[in-house]
Amino acid sequence: MQDYNEMLQFLDKDGKLSDDAPDIAHQFDTLLKLYKAMVTIRTFDHKAIALQRTGKMGTYPSILGSETVSVIAGAVLDKNDVFAPYYRDQGTQYLRGVTLTEMFQFWGGDERGNNFHNCKYDFPCSVPIASQALHAVGAAFALKHHGKNNCALVSLGDGATSQGDFYEAMNAAGALKLPVVFLICNNKFAISTPIEKQTFCKTLAQKSIAGGFDGLIVDGNDPIASYYVVKQAIEKAKKESIPVLIEAITYRLSDHTTADDALRYRTQEELDNAWLKDGVNRLKNYLIKNSIINQHDVENILSDAKTEVKEAVEKYLQIQLQDVEDLFDYHYANIPTILAEQKMELKNV
Amino acid sequence: MSSVTLIDAINLALQYEMEQDPNVVLIGEDIGLNGGVFRATQGLQEKFGENRVIDSPLAESMIAGMSIGMSTHGLKPIAEFQFMGFIYPAMNQIISHACRMRNRTRNRLTCPIVFRAPFGGFIHAPEHHSESTESLFAHIPGLRVVIPTSPERAYGLLLAAIREPDPVLFLEPKRIYRLHKQEIDNNGIALPLDTAFILREGSNITLISFGASIVETMQAAQELEQYNVSAEVIDIATIKPIDFETILSSVEKTGRCVIIHEAAKSCGVGAEIAATIAEKALTSLLAPIRRITGYDIIMPYYKMEKHNMVSTTKIVQAAKETMEY
Ligand SMILES: Cc1ncc(C[n+]2csc(CCOP(=O)(O)OP(=O)(O)O)c2C)c(N)n1
């Protein structure tokens, strides 16, 4: 029987590795790559908030506190799998090939940021909560229909698990036996609503019972356990052509977005305690402890990340605005007459 | 050639395109073994299997949302909503995603989906089964809304809708599903979308309609002959985007116009047509534009339903008043 209540953890918050840790705990090349990506995303995130504060970008939802599992999902997915993100998936998107410039552009209010050049079949971030879950189910259907041994992975927040679309997606994925991985990032909050007010369920993993498939809980700040669980889930989904749900426990270390002030609904003390469990620091300490990197490397990794982000910002800031025609030209493959007229009207204003 | 009803024609078009294009899949509630509640998909699961004619769980948002994912990834889903009154759970998916994906991704991901739904009143069904809320959809950028009114146009327009690279809401006037039979050639030839059809030429007045009301409109045109009024009848067919060229040139010719639809008057498709005629052909008008439509009320339960339906008498009356203005 599946245990829907137990959280899997191999590397605890104090850096202690359990004896039964899987192979990935010793695959240091992979872990180092993951660490670098996490640092890049954290640096990107920091910069995005700064750009928003100085009027150079729109409202932005920080991923601070969930980089670990987010980056790992991106690392484990196969290029030909399909990713259906929500808006707090910068880590996965980055490893899927969405460029930092594209991300700045998207959050900077430019649709062209969604025209991913490296992962052409991934969905853009979905804003209506949970609606993207059904897109993943549809994409998984198409993959299976075309005889591909790939899966779709949908990422959702904890609040999303209250939505009808989430249940409909789980139910359909189960009923149609589709390879869909539901990755729930339980960062404990939906804006100000804490998880205790979101559901009476003990865990979110147990919601998968309603869909008839397994639900796993993992410490989303533990890189070893997250890698292990996400990989297992993806392999199982593909091998057996069935859905799997993962509840990754994290904590939103940021405000909900740049338009939010989390101290209105949670204490500094709670936040300070959550920082002790941070996954990026946990991985850094683990790599140092195993002599894979030293303090000097840590600084170099950070400065490389800063360079990469800085270059992306420069590119982003140089992008010209779209023509007003672009506001009309992408509604239909062929522009209808009325729209063409309205387009001329705006052009002539 | 075979003599078929409107619903048969839909079945034929679905079948034709499924044979031609292996990426066409059907999804909807009870569409497989049961062939759909109106039998539009009768026999198709038997023929094409459960993987191409998918009996879905009972969840409209899921039907639309899954169709989006299917369509962005190489399939051409044709989704059936059992009745127009049950599309609303899927509105979010349709408005927020299906119609925006192309724009949002600057052509990278597109949603060639046909959303089919029977619409309109007078089949004596319970509440929610008689809706004509097409103008809600006609308001949405990125969507096409297409309505056939004969077996021939059902066949040709549905084929066109399936081949269209963007989402199409294909609304089927269920009152006339089995009203007439017509000889059609099952040759796979599509009719043009975004194009109005002149069903009857005339010189004194233009009657503009779509959906099941076309029946009363044609009858009215016939009746008007006895008053020496020559009425031109236009079936708009695609209510989003509307073919104003055809409408305007007819109104410029006749100078008079009555617009007829079953849906509520306020912000109905008729309002859009009247406004555009006023903008672009006001000086051709010899009389004010008239609208014969449903009232701005909730569709009554079926005992009183007829009061909210357009009738031939009302159309003839309005046309005569317009002529005498
Ligand atoms: C359908 C819908 N309702 C409301 C909102 C407004 N909204 C944006 S984010 C959010 C909270 C989502 O919380 P959760 O799913 O836990 O994800 P998180 O933001 O915590 O990562 C809400 C209510 C929305 N985007 N979509």
Side-chain angles (χ1 to χ4, degrees):
Chain A
M1 246 322 259
Q2 175 69 38
D3 189 341
Y4 295 91
N5 295 318
E6 188 88 32
M7 179 179 85
L8 193 71
Q9 185 189 67
F10 293 119
L11 185 66
D12 75 12
K13 72 175 184 6
D14 303 317
K16 190 172 164 309
L17 188 69
S18 64
D19 298 337
D20 57 348
D23 292 348
I24 181 64
H26 306 290
Q27 292 168 3
F28 290 110
D29 282 355
T30 306
L31 291 177
L32 182 58
K33 268 191 211 141
L34 293 173
Y35 175 66
K36 286 180 178 171
M38 288 175 205
V39 173
T40 303
I41 284 305
R42 188 160 278 190
T43 309
F44 165 87
D45 198 71
H46 195 73
K47 188 69 197 174
I49 294 169
L51 286 174
Q52 191 279 334
R53 297 285 185 241
T54 51
K56 295 196 182 89
M57 224 185 63
T59 304
Y60 171 79
S62 164
I63 192 180
L64 196 67
S66 298
E67 298 94 333
T68 306
V69 66
S70 180
V71 159
I72 283 167
V76 176
L77 277 171
D78 179 78
K79 186 170 176 293
N80 295 317
D81 294 334
V82 173
F83 180 47
Y86 78 123
Y87 46 79
R88 214 185 295 279
D89 277 317
Q90 295 89 325
T92 317
Q93 287 196 303
Y94 176 58
L95 287 207
R96 296 288 293 163
V98 180
T99 66
L100 297 181
T101 306
E102 283 170 343
M103 285 196 240
F104 279 127
Q105 202 179 359
F106 170 67
W107 291 110
D110 185 334
E111 294 90 342
R112 291 174 297 179
N114 282 328
N115 193 358
F116 309 145
H117 288 86
N118 300 322
C119 46
K120 293 205 177 294
Y121 295 97
D122 279 5
F123 291 96
C125 297
S126 169
V127 175
I129 302 296
S131 53
Q132 76 281 9
L134 287 160
H135 308 165
V137 178
F141 184 94
L143 291 170
K144 189 172 176 181
H145 187 87
H146 289 129
K148 304 226 173 94
N149 186 27
N150 286 100
C151 72
L153 184 142
V154 56
S155 173
L156 311 113
D158 43 283
T161 66
S162 298
Q163 281 277 353
D165 277 5
F166 169 67
Y167 289 97
E168 295 187 22
M170 282 203 302
N171 188 58
L176 299 168
K177 305 206 173 37
L178 298 175
V180 182
V181 177
F182 294 86
L183 176 57
I184 299 166
C185 183
N186 181 357
N187 65 11
K188 308 287 171 55
F189 289 95
I191 307 185
S192 69
T193 309
I195 185 70
E196 302 78 43
K197 284 195 179 163
Q198 197 67 248
T199 181
F200 189 49
C201 289
K202 243 189 180 157
T203 71
L204 298 177
Q206 78 188 62
K207 293 197 177 200
S208 69
I209 297 171
F213 50 88
D214 286 352
L216 315 162
I217 312 178
V218 66
D219 179 351
N221 283 322
D222 170 354
I224 312 294
S226 291
Y227 193 94
Y228 178 76
V229 166
V230 174
K231 194 155 195 282
Q232 288 236 319
I234 288 175
E235 278 169 6
K236 186 179 170 86
K238 288 183 192 176
K239 190 153 160 262
E240 299 174 36
S241 189
I242 48 160
V244 184
L245 183 148
I246 302 166
E247 175 184 2
I249 309 283
T250 68
Y251 186 92
R252 202 191 72 214
L253 295 169
S254 62
D255 291 336
H256 170 68
T257 63
T258 46
D260 177 51
D261 173 12
L263 286 176
R264 291 167 61 90
Y265 50 82
R266 70 178 181 197
T267 62
Q268 186 63 44
E269 192 190 354
E270 182 182 325
L271 182 60
D272 293 344
N273 282 331
W275 264 108
L276 302 175
K277 298 183 187 171
D278 176 43
V280 184
N281 288 329
R282 208 185 296 186
L283 182 53
K284 178 183 74 185
N285 293 337
Y286 179 71
L287 291 172
I288 292 175
K289 195 166 151 190
N290 284 278
S291 309
I292 306 302
I293 51 173
N294 56 32
Q295 200 52 46
H296 184 65
D297 297 323
V298 168
E299 277 153 30
N300 281 343
I301 289 168
L302 180 61
S303 98
D304 287 352
K306 282 185 175 162
T307 307
E308 187 181 345
V309 170
K310 187 163 168 263
E311 283 169 10
V313 172
E314 277 163 12
K315 267 198 205 158
Y316 159 64
L317 293 175
Q318 274 166 20
I319 293 170
Q320 300 289 311
L321 284 180
Q322 304 182 73
D323 296 330
V324 290
E325 283 98 320
D326 286 25
L327 303 185
F328 294 85
D329 285 348
Y330 298 93
H331 282 65
Y332 302 94
N334 299 305
I335 190 165
T337 313
I338 306 177
L339 213 52
E341 283 171 16
Q342 292 180 9
K343 174 170 139 182
M344 286 311 293
E345 207 179 294
L346 181 61
K347 248 186 103 173
N348 294 331
V349 168
Chain B
M1 294 284 259
S2 49
S3 182
V4 300
T5 62
L6 197 155
I7 189 93
D8 297 334
I10 286 167
N11 185 281
L12 278 182
L14 293 173
Q15 189 165 326
Y16 185 92
E17 208 60 7
M18 289 186 83
E19 273 164 5
Q20 298 301 308
D21 184 349
N23 286 324
V24 173
V25 296
L26 311 188
I27 181 165
E29 295 158 12
D30 311 299
I31 65 165
L33 193 58
N34 196 36
V37 291
F38 287 102
R39 307 288 176 261
T41 52
Q42 175 119 310
L44 299 183
Q45 190 178 64
E46 212 175 356
K47 190 153 185 186
F48 298 102
E50 293 182 12
N51 285 326
R52 291 189 66 198
V53 181
I54 306 155
D55 272 317
S56 78
L58 205 176
E60 287 75 15
S61 184
M62 183 228 90
I63 293 171
M66 259 191 80
S67 298
I68 291 166
M70 291 167 150
S71 66
T72 51
H73 287 74
L75 293 178
K76 280 194 185 174
I78 303 173
E80 175 177 300
F81 296 106
Q82 241 161 34
F83 289 88
M84 185 178 211
F86 303 129
I87 295 186
Y88 312 132
M91 286 298 258
N92 185 42
Q93 291 290 347
I94 296 173
I95 299 180
S96 304
H97 292 302
C99 299
R100 290 174 180 235
M101 199 62 84
R102 175 188 289 281
N103 182 62
R104 179 188 286 155
T105 65
R106 291 303 191 242
N107 281 342
R108 185 173 60 84
L109 296 179
T110 57
C111 295
I113 306 167
V114 180
F115 298 110
R116 294 181 40 244
F119 86 118
F122 224 58
I123 60 156
H124 290 194
E127 191 178 354
H128 307 297
H129 293 71
S130 302
E131 307 277 296
S132 294
T133 48
E134 65 277 0
S135 72
L136 293 179
F137 297 90
H139 197 65
I140 304 172
L143 189 63
R144 271 197 171 68
V145 184
V146 177
I147 303 174
T149 57
S150 72
E152 190 187 16
R153 284 188 294 282
Y155 181 81
L157 292 174
L158 182 52
L159 285 176
I162 302 170
R163 294 168 193 171
E164 185 57 37
D166 291 303
V168 177
L169 176 64
F170 194 80
L171 294 173
E172 300 164 10
K174 59 180 165 316
R175 175 160 66 92
I176 59 170
Y177 260 158
R178 297 188 165 79
L179 187 68
H180 294 304
K181 281 196 170 185
Q182 195 176 18
E183 294 280 315
I184 67 164
D185 206 352
N186 187 10
N187 56 8
I189 295 177
L191 286 169
L193 301 182
D194 305 358
T195 304
F197 296 88
I198 298 176
L199 301 190
R200 188 182 196 278
E201 300 213 1
S203 52
N204 303 135
I205 189 166
T206 305
L207 307 180
I208 303 170
S209 189
F210 59 90
S213 307
I214 277 291
V215 174
E216 287 71 35
T217 304
M218 287 295 278
Q219 280 168 359
Q222 190 73 35
E223 242 176 73
L224 284 166
E225 270 181 16
Q226 68 194 65
Y227 305 102
N228 286 323
V229 175
S230 159
E232 182 144 301
V233 175
I234 296 179
D235 175 8
I236 310 171
T238 301
I239 63 164
K240 167 81 168 193
I242 294 172
D243 170 12
F244 279 114
E245 210 177 297
T246 301
I247 291 173
L248 291 171
S249 63
S250 175
V251 173
E252 278 159 8
K253 175 177 74 176
T254 61
R256 298 177 185 87
C257 165
V258 179
I259 304 160
I260 301 108
H261 59 63
E262 194 173 310
K265 187 172 208 166
S266 293
C267 298
V269 170
E272 186 59 36
I273 296 171
T276 305
I277 293 173
E279 276 174 0
K280 303 205 167 159
L282 189 69
T283 51
S284 309
L285 287 177
L286 304 169
I289 299 165
R290 290 287 300 273
R291 281 183 286 166
I292 301 298
T293 70
Y295 301 106
D296 289 344
I297 60 172
I298 293 164
M299 191 63 168
Y301 285 12
Y302 76 82
K303 277 223 169 79
M304 300 292 278
E305 189 178 26
K306 63 174 184 294
H307 298 291
N308 202 32
M309 303 295 294
V310 301
S311 67
T312 307
T313 317
K314 281 191 207 167
I315 302 168
V316 170
Q317 182 67 24
K320 280 166 68 184
E321 285 165 14
T322 304
M323 291 305 301
E324 287 155 14
Y325 178 81

